[in-house]
Amino acid sequence: GTMKNLNILERPISKGKAEVSLSAFSFLFSEIVQYTKNSPTPAKALATWESRLHKIGYGVGIRVLDLIVYRSKGMDSRETDLVRFLTFIEKTVWKVLFGKQADNLAIVAANQ
């Protein structure tokens, strides 16, 4: 009911359930790799391919992180406290991306 009426930016962060099917994601990933692989100069093909993938991945990553920060309650996008930022990555970002919390980041944060 009410979830469909919300703007996509205002919807709560997914609780681990996939919103995109694995086959759709795999197809999109394959198409991006094929798109970036087409290089006009064979001598620089690998470097060009890596550069194109990096540009796409960086842009997507920044947008995903912005969306996670925007949807999160109590997280400032200009966070400067290292322990608080690592906790945010451990509990929120990692869970959104991989469906579980990152255990090793808690150890790092505890040693700071």
Side-chain angles (χ1 to χ4, degrees), residues 12-20 71 91-101:
I13 295 175
S14 174
K15 301 293 183 204
K17 91 175 177 179
E19 293 184 15
V20 177
R71 287 180 174 179
K91 294 182 187 256
T92 306
V93 175
W94 214 264
K95 193 168 186 177
V96 169
L97 296 177
F98 303 110
K100 63 179 184 175
Q101 289 186 4

Side-chain angles (χ1 to χ4, degrees), residues 33-105:
V33 169
Q34 290 302 316
Y35 172 77
T36 58
K37 196 173 182 182
N38 296 332
S39 176
T41 55
K44 296 181 181 178
L46 184 58
T48 303
W49 186 35
E50 288 176 349
S51 175
R52 289 177 179 174
L53 283 173
H54 177 267
K55 286 178 184 175
I56 291 172
Y58 183 82
V60 169
I62 290 295
R63 286 175 180 88
V64 168
L65 184 58
D66 281 344
L67 181 62
I68 292 170
V69 169
Y70 178 80
R71 287 180 174 179
S72 298
K73 306 287 188 243
M75 182 64 186
D76 184 8
S77 62
R78 297 180 187 180
E79 185 62 55
T80 58
D81 180 31
L82 179 62
V83 174
R84 188 157 180 236
F85 188 71
L86 287 174
T87 303
F88 173 72
I89 291 172
E90 172 198 15
K91 294 182 187 256
T92 306
V93 175
W94 214 264
K95 193 168 186 177
V96 169
L97 296 177
F98 303 110
K100 63 179 184 175
Q101 289 186 4
D103 298 327
N104 293 338
L105 291 179

